[in-house]
Structures are given as structure tokens and as C-alpha cells.
Amino acid sequence: MPIAPTPNAPVRRALVATNHLKNIAGSEVVALEMTDHLHRSGYAVTVYASIAEPPMSLLIADAGGHIITDPALIRPFTFDALYAQHQLLGLFDYAPSQEDRKATLILLGRLSRKSYMESGGWLHDRLLADMILANSEMTAGHLQEIGQTGPIHCFHNAAPAAFFAPARALPTRPARILTISSHRDPDLMGALHLLRQTCSVQHIGRSGDKEELVTPAMIAQADLVISIGKSIPYALAGRTPVYVYDHFGGPGYLHEGNRDAAARFNFTGRCQERRLSAASLAAEILDNYATGVAFAHSTPDAWLTRYLLPHHLEQALAVPPQSNAARRAQMAAEPFLVQERMLATHIHANVLKQRRLERQIRTLKQDLNRSAAVLQPA
């Protein structure tokens, strides 16, 4: 449970840093859940994002995060705890300040092996991190292979405690299906169309009916969750049957025989890039539902506890932090750090440029639509 701050004690300050806060998607939700946990644990939470827009910026504010988008205002060593994901450490100011802490706990989230922004092993990571939080066993293993120094902890893309629920009665065929996806895989979209003929299908995500944050109530009301990635631990925690499939394909219903392989690949579907037609998907989802129900009811609590997020975060926040003076000395002795800072600045500028272009394109489309409406004959 979060520890209440001692009366009259100095306010503990925490920083959560992520590249973008806009859509409700994987890394954004990781940042949101970290912000919420730190706020509930008594920290005053600052959230840095290169891009911050609704709906995620509003959810971060609701979770107690104060958003800053200017990296020049971020001094990492003035915080008691820092969690960063994406390649942002090179943007910040490490010069001495009167507000410096003697030691800052620095946790780095690493959410991918293949994406530059989410990858690890960089010089800033090696010099600054007290612990690396890997989203999957595959990511953790990759970090070890490339020589990442310091502790690496797999947090399994875990779910907040509110998602955990006991097993409940389920039907023999799914009546209420919750699909969570921002992709538009044509076969999955076709399967959902077929399933809507006999089932109630709610599709959450940018490619679906509505983009909104998945809640424990949504999981509890569903007979089946179709998704990949971070949404799967939500369903597992709620003992709701899960069907792992999206734009990478996937193994389908989780069961004891495929759960560990699927988990190792972070439930992306890459453990078995099996692709089915829309008709075959819909048929398998309906005909093999009993497999999903059996797994939801029989999965041992001991296996499910790996997906309890507070357990991982409390363990990480208890790690003894390094001295900030020692960190500064190490940073000063590494001339190549300047090159990483140049790269971080270059990437940041491109991120902002791309966002400006997206806004200009959106404005142009709106202007064209208005012009077309005016020109239409009465």
C-alpha cells in the first residue's frame, strides 16, 4: 500500500518523463500509471513530455501530474525519484543547483528491443540508472545481451491493483466482447463485423468505436477480451478470457501450454505470428471459447501475481539511489556523452517538426471540408 507522508516532512518530488502524451496507448498508459502510483505514494509529480495534448494530458492531470514541455526546465537531480522512458535524458540540465538532492533514484523504463525511442543500453542509461524496468522477459534478456550494467527488473507490463478480481461465472459462448486495439488489421476488423451478428462487441482504440482508457469495470463486464500487449495483463488480472491477436497475428486463446511463450513476447502475438482469415478468426473465437474460460478459472494466483503493478513499483522505489555528485563526476569523464545529447536534441527537434506538420495537415483538411460544404449545390 502507498505510504502516507509524515506530517511536516519535506515534500518528496518525482519526475516522470516520456516523449509523447496524446493518444491512449501503451507507453502513454505506462507513464500514466507511474504518475498515479507516485502521486498516491505522497510525491509531488512533475511530468515531462515533448508533446502533451488531450486526451492523455487531461488524464495525467487527473492523476496528479503537473506537465512541463520545455526540457530546459527539467533538472533531474532536483528530484527525489525519476522515471524516464524514451531517449530523453540527454535533453535535461544536470548543472548544479541549490535545489539538488544528494541522491536521486533514477528508474528507466525500457519498452522495446527494436524501437530506438524505447530501447536501452545507451551511455546515459549506464551512467545514471539505479534500475532498468523492462516490460517483458524478452526485453530484459536483450538488455543483458547488449551489456546493460546495473539491475534489470522485469515488470511484465503489470496492471494496477484495481484490475484484480476473483473468478466469476462465464457463459458457454461469449455474449459481450471487448476488443482493445488501435490498429486496423483487416482480418480482425472483418472478424469483429461477423461477431457483431451474434455478440455485443465494444471496440476501444483509435481504430475502434471510441478512444478511452480501459477500466476495471470494462474488463469485469466483458465475457472475452481480444487484444495484444498491455491490455492482456488487465484481462488476466480480472480472470477474463483473453484472445491474443492483432496486426502481428497471434496464438489466439491463452492456455497453460502457450501462456509463457506469449508472455515472454509481451503478448504482442509475435510468439506465434499465425494469421487467419476473418471467417476463421470469428469461428475460432466462438468455437474455442471454452479454452479461454478454463484458463481464466484455473490460472494459479502465484502466476498472476507477476502482473500486480504496485508490487513491482514499490520494489523499484526501495532501491538505494546513487550519489548525484558521483554521477556528475562520471558524466564529466565521458566525452561521448556530448554526442548523445546532440542526438537527443536532434530527435526532439524532429518530433516537434513532425507535430507541427500534422497540425498543418489537419487544418488544411478542415479548410478543404468547409470549402467543399460551401460549394455543394443546395
Side-chain angles (χ1 to χ4, degrees):
M1 295 296 291
I3 301 173
T6 304
N8 302 320
V11 175
R12 295 181 297 169
R13 301 180 66 231
L15 173 68
V16 174
T18 188
N19 182 64
H20 44 276
L21 289 172
K22 182 177 180 286
N23 299 313
I24 299 174
S27 68
E28 293 92 332
V29 176
V30 171
L32 173 64
E33 291 174 350
M34 177 63 78
T35 299
D36 182 68
H37 183 87
L38 288 167
H39 177 68
R40 292 176 184 272
S41 298
Y43 288 88
V45 186
T46 298
V47 178
Y48 170 80
S50 300
I51 297 171
E53 298 177 11
M56 278 306 304
S57 60
L58 300 178
L59 293 172
I60 287 286
D62 289 342
H66 170 66
I67 296 176
I68 291 177
T69 57
D70 183 355
L73 300 178
I74 301 298
R75 293 177 175 266
F77 293 162
T78 66
F79 293 91
D80 298 285
L82 181 159
Y83 169 80
Q85 55 191 28
H86 304 140
Q87 305 305 335
L88 301 172
L89 294 180
L91 295 176
F92 302 146
D93 186 354
Y94 297 91
S97 164
Q98 291 183 347
E99 298 179 357
D100 280 356
R101 273 39 174 179
K102 290 184 179 180
T104 299
L105 174 63
I106 297 183
L107 308 171
L108 301 183
R110 292 298 171 236
L111 310 179
S112 173
R113 296 172 296 130
K114 299 182 178 181
S115 165
Y116 163 72
M117 290 297 284
E118 296 180 330
S119 65
W122 302 93
L123 188 54
H124 278 86
D125 300 14
R126 299 168 190 265
L127 296 179
L128 297 178
D130 293 300
M131 176 177 277
I132 305 294
L133 297 175
N135 69 333
S136 70
E137 295 172 0
M138 186 69 73
T139 302
H142 172 72
L143 291 169
Q144 292 171 341
E145 289 172 1
I146 63 174
Q148 174 67 56
T149 55
I152 300 171
H153 178 82
C154 179
F155 73 100
H156 297 286
N157 245 347
F163 282 90
F164 282 76
R168 64 185 190 277
L170 292 164
T172 56
R173 286 172 72 85
R176 297 169 298 181
I177 298 176
L178 174 64
T179 301
I180 306 164
S181 174
S182 291
H183 311 287
R184 189 170 287 280
D185 177 75
D187 292 318
L188 181 57
M189 295 300 102
L192 296 182
H193 174 73
L194 294 172
L195 290 169
R196 281 192 168 98
Q197 298 176 15
T198 57
C199 308
S200 170
V201 178
Q202 182 182 17
H203 183 177
I204 300 300
R206 293 194 302 280
S207 64
D209 308 316
K210 188 176 182 181
E211 183 180 3
E212 60 181 311
L213 191 68
V214 178
T215 66
M218 291 180 186
I219 299 295
Q221 292 166 6
D223 300 324
L224 170 64
V225 171
I226 303 173
S227 190
I228 58 171
K230 185 161 178 54
S231 302
I232 299 300
Y234 294 158
L236 291 172
R239 290 192 174 274
T240 299
V242 288
Y243 190 89
V244 178
Y245 195 97
D246 208 317
H247 61 306
F248 296 124
Y253 279 110
L254 286 186
H255 51 76
E256 187 176 357
N258 65 14
R259 68 178 193 185
D260 292 329
R264 179 170 173 75
F265 283 81
N266 195 32
F267 302 113
T268 57
R270 289 191 175 104
C271 66
Q272 186 181 349
E273 296 182 350
R274 181 186 65 124
R275 296 187 177 276
L276 299 174
S277 67
S280 296
L281 273 172
E284 183 173 279
I285 287 167
L286 293 176
D287 295 343
N288 293 358
Y289 179 62
T291 299
V293 172
F295 183 69
H297 283 166
S298 64
T299 306
D301 289 337
W303 190 80
L304 285 179
T305 54
R306 68 168 66 182
Y307 299 108
L308 179 61
L309 182 61
H311 171 75
H312 296 287
L313 298 188
E314 288 163 13
Q315 183 176 338
L317 290 170
V319 171
Q322 300 178 53
S323 158
N324 287 335
R327 284 189 173 111
R328 277 204 182 93
Q330 291 174 338
M331 294 174 77
E334 289 285 355
F336 191 74
L337 207 63
V338 175
Q339 304 301 109
E340 279 197 9
R341 292 182 67 83
M342 289 173 61
L343 179 59
T345 301
H346 175 72
I347 296 296
H348 179 255
N350 282 343
V351 167
L352 298 183
K353 180 180 179 180
Q354 180 180 351
R355 192 70 196 119
R356 286 194 297 269
L357 288 173
E358 289 172 353
R359 287 174 175 169
Q360 291 170 0
I361 291 171
R362 185 169 64 240
T363 300
L364 179 60
K365 286 182 177 179
Q366 291 171 346
D367 291 344
L368 289 173
N369 289 337
R370 281 193 290 266
S371 298
V374 170
L375 294 174
Q376 277 188 348

